């Protein structure tokens, strides 16, 4: 099959390769299937990377462009304020993320729950905790350093929980940046079927924007903070590079998607809707990783990345999640993801605050309502929901209810991390996260204290 695709690919773009296809969202078109107004568009994503790749800077821009914050403050910025998601004094002092922080925003009538995770190896359990409950991720990579040690760890974590992802090659304004080296590393070191959906317009000091390989147009970012997105025609001297990388994108897609492979064999060029639908299909199936580009610090490339989150990452019910039925020997049962079914939620993070224990909860099906009673399936305790909040870093917004797919937090819930909650009608539990336990050295195997040190005793693990 691959040899046939290789033969066809040489003529795949054909004489129409320079054509810019329109992208209407028509009833019954591939795009309309996930942009329907019949259901709320929701994305639960984590932003993960090696330390100093620009995760928190990227999240700060996302919050600014979506209107969640009114101004941008950088990590270790000159104003001394610090990024919104680094709420701890120690985080602002050291300029690193120590604990994962949750927020939510809205982009083009779509809701996005975001968890900004740490990049330092010492806090990798926070990344594990977040990826256990999220439906999608953005893997951020430095355009100079590329795949680094913690990138490998995050990749393993995403694969462990089958988390679909986008990749964002950041810092293309820095000297020595080379996105094509980074993509090669994604393929060689992480064994990902990755391909660019954009190419940069200039690198280092000359980085001014990007070119969209799907819609075949330039994207530049004007205004004081890059808030004005300007589209234009592709310069003639860049068309050869655009065609080369566009063909590479189609070849990578054709290797995993039958519909795109048919276009190869028919020597035809798919339209924009067909391309986007194929990218979405294979991204959700973890068979393809679309690569976006830009420089978050220079306010370039963030808005198209947000479009990619909506276009290519799954709705909560589109990612398969399973509960374990304890009445049938922990037989796996697929979770429906519907608000109308019995409640099933997982407490994935605990935080001690001045108001008491704050429990972060991912709802897999059913609805949480303030004042209702829920049951801790693990302990059998029945608890009344006194307060439900949405988190915006350290800030809280009180809400009365939350439905399937939401990530919220609650006060007054006495539990351990990874406890499952229901409305009392089911005896099902969600699987816990993976926690590696180091083994004691051979000479200490008979020591009681050494054996005890191998037990995971932290309630937040």
């Amino acid at each position: 099959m691959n040899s046939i695709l290789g033969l066809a690919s040489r003529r795949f773009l054909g004489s129409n390769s320079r054509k810019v296809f329109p992208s209407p969202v028509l009833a019954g078109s591939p795009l309309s299937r996930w942009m329907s107004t019949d259901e709320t568009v929701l994305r639960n994503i984590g932003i993960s990377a090696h330390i100093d790749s620009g995760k928190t800077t990227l999240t700060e821009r996302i919050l600014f462009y979506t209107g969640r914050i009114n101004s941008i403050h950088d990590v270790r910025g000159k104003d001394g304020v610090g990024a919104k998601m680094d709420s701890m004094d120690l985080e602002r002092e050291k300029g690193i993320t120590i604990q994962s922080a949750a927020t939510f925003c809205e982009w083009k009538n779509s809701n996005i729950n975001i968890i900004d995770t740490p990049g330092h190896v010492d806090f990798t359990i926070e990344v594990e905790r977040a990826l256990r409950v999220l439906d999608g991720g953005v893997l951020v990579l430095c355009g100079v350093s590329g795949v680094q040690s913690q990138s490998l760890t995050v990749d393993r974590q995403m694969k462990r929980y089958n988390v679909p992802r986008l990749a964002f090659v950041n810092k293309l304004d820095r000297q020595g940046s080379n996105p094509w080296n980074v993509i090669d590393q994604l393929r060689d070191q992480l064994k990902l079927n990755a391909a660019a959906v954009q190419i940069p317009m200039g690198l280092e000091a000359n980085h001014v924007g990007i070119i969209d390989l799907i819609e075949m147009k330039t994207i530049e970012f004007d205004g004081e903070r890059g808030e004005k997105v300007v589209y234009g025609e592709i310069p003639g001297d860049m068309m050869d590079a655009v065609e080369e990388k566009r063909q590479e994108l189609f070849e990578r897609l054709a290797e995993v998607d039958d519909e795109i492979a048919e276009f190869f064999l028919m020597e035809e060029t798919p339209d924009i809707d067909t391309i986007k639908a194929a990218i979405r299909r294979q991204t959700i199936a973890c068979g393809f990783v679309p690569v976006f580009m830009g420089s978050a610090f220079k306010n370039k490339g963030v808005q198209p990345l947000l479009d990619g989150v909506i276009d290519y990452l799954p709705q909560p019910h589109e990612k398969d999640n399973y509960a374990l039925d304890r009445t049938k020997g922990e037989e796996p049962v697929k979770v429906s993801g519907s608000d109308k079914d019995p409640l099933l939620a997982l407490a994935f993070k605990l935080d001690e605050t001045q108001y008491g224990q704050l429990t972060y909860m991912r709802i897999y099906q059913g609805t949480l309502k303030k004042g209702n009673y829920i049951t801790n399936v693990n302990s059998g305790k029945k608890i009344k929901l006194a307060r439900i909040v949405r988190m915006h870093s350290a800030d809280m917004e009180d809400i009365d209810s939350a439905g399937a797919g939401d990530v919220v937090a609650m006060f007054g819930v006495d539990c351990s991390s990874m406890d499952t909650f229901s409305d009392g009608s089911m005896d099902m539990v969600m699987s816990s996260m993976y926690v590696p336990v180091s083994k004691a050295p051979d000479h200490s195997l008979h020591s009681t204290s050494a054996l005890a040190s191998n037990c995971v005793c932290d309630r937040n693990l």
Side-chain angles (χ1 to χ4, degrees), residues 188-205:
D188 297 339
Q189 297 186 38
L190 304 187
K191 308 302 180 186
L192 297 173
N193 183 26
V197 294
Q198 303 167 342
I199 69 170
M201 296 175 65
L203 292 171
E204 301 177 352

Side-chain angles (χ1 to χ4, degrees), residues 58-109:
L58 173 62
T59 307
E60 186 82 357
R61 269 62 181 178
I62 289 174
L63 295 178
F64 178 74
Y65 296 133
T66 57
R68 288 295 291 150
I69 57 177
N70 297 321
S71 57
I72 294 175
H73 300 286
D74 290 310
V75 177
R76 289 179 172 174
K78 294 180 181 179
D79 57 9
V81 176
K84 177 65 179 179
M85 301 303 284
D86 286 343
S87 58
M88 296 173 59
D89 291 338
L90 189 59
E91 289 178 315
R92 295 173 187 265
E93 176 186 341
K94 301 296 184 182
I96 62 172
T97 301
I98 295 174
Q99 65 175 7
S100 57
T103 187
F104 65 98
C105 58
E106 183 176 325
W107 179 251
K108 297 183 178 179
N109 299 317

Side-chain angles (χ1 to χ4, degrees), residues 422-437:
S422 77
D423 55 10
S425 63
M426 296 186 303
D427 191 12
M428 294 186 183
V429 294
M430 303 299 296
S431 60
S432 185
M433 67 177 179
Y434 171 78
V435 181
V437 181

Side-chain angles (χ1 to χ4, degrees), residues 279-294:
I279 293 174
R280 185 169 204 277
R281 255 192 324 269
Q282 299 309 323
T283 300
I284 293 175
C286 297
F288 180 75
V289 178
V291 181
F292 293 76
M293 303 183 184

